[in-house]
Amino acid sequence: MTTGTTGTTDAAPLFGPESHFQAFFDDPRWALAVIRATVLEAAHPQVGAALADNSTFVAHPWRRLRNTFVSMRRMFDPDPAVREREAARLNRLHARMSGSDSRGRAYDAMDRATRAWVVATLFESAVTMCRLSGQPLDQDTMGRMYAEYRAFLAALDGDADELPEDVGDFWRYFDRVVEEELENTEAVRIILFRLFDHLPAPALLDGAPTLWAAGRAVVGPLLGSITVASLPEAYRRRAGLPEMPGATTLMQGAYLSAGLTRFLPDGWLDAGAVLETLSLSPDSDDPRARTVTALRARMKQASALLRLLTPWSGDTGPEPAPSATTPDTGVTGAAGEGRRSAEEFFRQVLDQTGDGYLDWPDLAAMARELATRLDLDEPDETRLYDAFAAWWRELQAALDTDGDGRVSAHEYATAVPSLAGPALIRVAEVLFDATDRDRSGAIDADEHRALFRTAFHRNLTITNGTYDRSAFVGDFLSFMSGRRRNTPYDPLLADA
């Protein structure tokens, strides 16, 4: 494969632990760079429309972040088979995303030029990250890193022809797209002015909404200001994004501070471990769960103290009732299995994209998350999507009273339907078959962990160490139609 750079060699592999891309995964600066790159991606009309219609980044940002991180790890795995399998999965996922934006312009997530722009934003943001943190890349290193990003695009599209071959030509390409194609899209406005201000708490901090809201009220605007200040001036001017006084100094200080972590011993920072810890549920059997449970208790105490000392007026909602789950046993009592209201179930479970409506992208997001958890290949993945599509048709026929092609929260709450129709039963059966990888007719402990990322609990109907079809289908239907809390499906479909 041609590197497309001058002064670089093919001595070191473009993928794997020796790549520059891989080295950024555990770099705190990369978090700032990825936010910046995401805004530049969302500013492209095609990407912005696809995100607004299909993405779960508003309602389930932590889940989306974790899945993206895992995917990028796979795409830069040293094993070509791992990369090829992940590229095929991503291509199947993107092939299901097409439509039109609010101005009637068509978008297609498989558009090659658009996919090239996504990769371009990652490369340019990585270069900018190094420059802003006081560690600018020399030309050889920059050329080498550009070859890695072009190889990433080639792994997805079969070639990297949509990006210039030479890194010098790349900057002219990048400036042209910024000046001629980017817009102040709805997705950009959501990221900058809604997501940061209303970011839901990760599972670790879910028990302390007051404390989370207080911290978010300070950090959210700062992140927004830092991100806007780091964007290309041509785009800020084109999009009419105001730069707050002092934001440039704040942005440079943030990148410089994050860059100081390079002096920490190797291995001290592990982004994967951080994301896993943030997403742990309190009843997980992971060895870190006991620490997480203790941290949750501390967070609740701090949150209660904050409410006593500071009259907080944010819309945090009440502190959740204590769970009846016993940390040591995972046995869930009746208090922990309360029912959600119809409105709460609609918001937390059904409306996966967070736009206030239930439509096909929401159910497709559920299918996508389940297929990702189980790491499904064809044809199991297609069977799962088809089952969810049939369920959507059933829901639409029953609940879409005004005929606008989607179901509003009011339509859902007014009908208060029993969702356990034939199509939903079929979804449960297909999910069971996909989870039962050895086709034994029952889900064993390893298969259960693959889907739920936790071991069997005594509140499940387990026989001889397995979870049979009828019990699995019954529990799934109970969650989806009965709106029960504290089931294994909560962290799967309801958590942020």
Side-chain angles (χ1 to χ4, degrees):
M1 180 183 297
T2 303
T3 62
T5 58
T6 302
T8 63
T9 70
D10 291 322
L14 295 175
F15 298 101
E18 295 181 48
S19 71
H20 292 283
F21 194 103
Q22 189 90 324
F24 288 148
F25 282 152
D26 297 326
D27 191 328
R29 299 175 301 168
W30 189 232
L32 297 173
V34 167
I35 294 173
R36 179 183 185 276
T38 301
V39 172
L40 290 173
E41 292 170 20
H44 192 287
Q46 288 230 6
V47 180
L51 285 174
D53 284 351
N54 299 279
S55 180
T56 61
F57 75 97
V58 173
H60 303 277
W62 299 105
R63 190 178 77 193
R64 167 69 189 275
L65 177 63
R66 183 187 184 281
N67 289 343
T68 300
F69 181 84
V70 170
S71 179
M72 294 181 73
R73 283 276 199 194
R74 291 173 178 171
M75 285 302 299
F76 272 83
D77 193 279
D79 185 348
V82 173
R83 299 197 301 269
E84 291 170 6
R85 188 169 186 270
E86 181 62 14
R89 187 189 72 84
L90 289 174
N91 285 333
R92 293 195 304 271
L93 183 154
H94 290 142
R96 295 184 172 99
M97 296 182 183
S98 60
S100 58
D101 65 12
S102 58
R103 294 166 57 182
R105 296 176 297 183
Y107 70 82
D108 184 348
M110 289 296 288
D111 179 74
R112 287 168 57 86
T114 305
R115 284 153 69 93
W117 174 247
V118 171
V119 176
T121 63
L122 290 170
F123 169 71
E124 189 274 343
S125 291
V127 173
T128 300
M129 171 192 83
C130 294
R131 174 175 55 81
L132 292 176
S133 58
Q135 304 170 62
L137 301 176
D138 59 61
Q139 287 300 311
D140 284 347
T141 302
M142 188 184 301
R144 162 71 188 180
M145 191 166 72
Y146 184 59
E148 294 175 5
Y149 281 83
R150 290 190 82 242
F152 176 24
L153 179 61
L156 284 173
D157 276 359
D159 60 57
D161 292 345
E162 291 293 335
L163 284 180
E165 186 173 351
D166 187 83
V167 68
D169 294 330
F170 168 82
W171 299 109
R172 288 185 287 274
Y173 153 82
F174 183 86
D175 291 341
R176 179 189 63 76
V177 175
V178 168
E179 293 173 1
E180 298 178 6
E181 298 186 32
L182 300 192
E183 301 175 359
N184 187 3
T185 64
E186 179 187 3
V188 167
R189 295 191 293 272
I190 289 174
I191 294 170
L192 292 177
F193 306 118
R194 177 182 168 189
L195 180 60
F196 292 149
D197 290 344
H198 301 279
L199 186 69
L204 174 65
L205 301 176
D206 191 46
T210 303
L211 185 65
W212 173 258
R216 183 181 59 194
V218 175
V219 176
L222 291 180
L223 276 176
S225 297
I226 290 169
T227 303
V228 170
S230 70
L231 295 173
E233 182 181 356
Y235 175 68
R236 293 203 309 269
R237 184 173 59 251
R238 180 180 175 86
L241 294 176
E243 183 177 341
M244 302 297 293
T248 299
T249 301
L250 177 66
M251 176 263 296
Q252 292 173 339
Y255 275 94
L256 286 170
S257 298
L260 294 176
T261 57
R262 68 185 183 276
F263 297 112
L264 292 175
D266 291 341
W268 273 42
L269 295 175
D270 187 332
V274 171
L275 288 174
E276 288 287 352
T277 301
L278 287 173
S279 63
L280 282 177
S281 59
D283 59 346
S284 171
D285 65 324
D286 188 288
R288 294 166 292 183
R290 192 178 300 275
T291 301
V292 171
T293 301
L295 283 173
R296 280 171 173 264
R298 295 286 186 181
M299 293 297 178
K300 288 182 179 181
Q301 292 173 2
S303 182
L305 179 61
L306 182 65
R307 290 200 309 277
L308 288 174
L309 298 177
T310 306
W312 181 253
S313 60
D315 183 18
T316 63
E319 295 279 3
S323 170
T325 302
T326 304
D328 292 337
T329 66
V331 177
T332 306
E337 292 184 350
R339 292 167 61 91
R340 294 177 174 88
S341 67
E343 293 84 355
E344 187 180 12
F345 182 75
F346 185 94
R347 176 175 54 83
Q348 293 183 350
V349 179
L350 296 180
D351 183 15
Q352 291 281 306
T353 60
D355 64 354
Y357 293 92
L358 171 63
D359 53 13
W360 167 239
D362 295 302
L363 270 66
M366 293 185 198
R368 186 165 65 243
E369 176 60 21
L370 294 169
T372 299
R373 287 278 188 122
L374 295 171
D375 198 17
L376 298 182
D377 285 324
E378 290 280 19
D380 286 339
E381 182 184 87
T382 297
R383 279 198 291 266
L384 188 62
Y385 272 89
D386 288 346
F388 271 94
W391 185 35
W392 164 237
R393 291 191 294 270
E394 184 178 82
L395 287 174
Q396 189 177 23
L399 304 180
D400 181 17
T401 56
D402 60 7
D404 65 352
R406 57 187 183 177
V407 177
S408 68
H410 176 72
E411 286 174 323
Y412 174 80
T414 300
V416 192
S418 173
L419 298 182
L424 182 59
I425 295 173
R426 176 60 179 163
V427 169
E429 291 174 340
V430 171
L431 180 58
F432 176 86
D433 292 337
T435 308
D436 180 21
R437 303 301 289 268
D438 62 4
R439 302 298 189 256
S440 66
I443 294 173
D444 61 28
D446 291 337
E447 291 166 342
H448 184 275
R449 185 178 294 280
L451 178 61
F452 298 110
R453 294 180 183 149
T454 189
F456 286 136
H457 285 189
R458 277 187 259 166
N459 58 309
L460 295 174
T461 308
I462 306 298
T463 304
N464 297 326
T466 60
Y467 194 14
D468 65 28
R469 176 184 291 269
S470 62
F472 180 94
V473 171
D475 286 337
F476 182 82
L477 296 180
S478 178
F479 172 78
M480 296 302 298
S481 62
R483 302 190 293 272
R484 282 171 47 197
R485 298 177 183 274
N486 290 346
T487 77
Y489 295 96
D490 275 278
L492 183 59
L493 294 175
D495 277 4

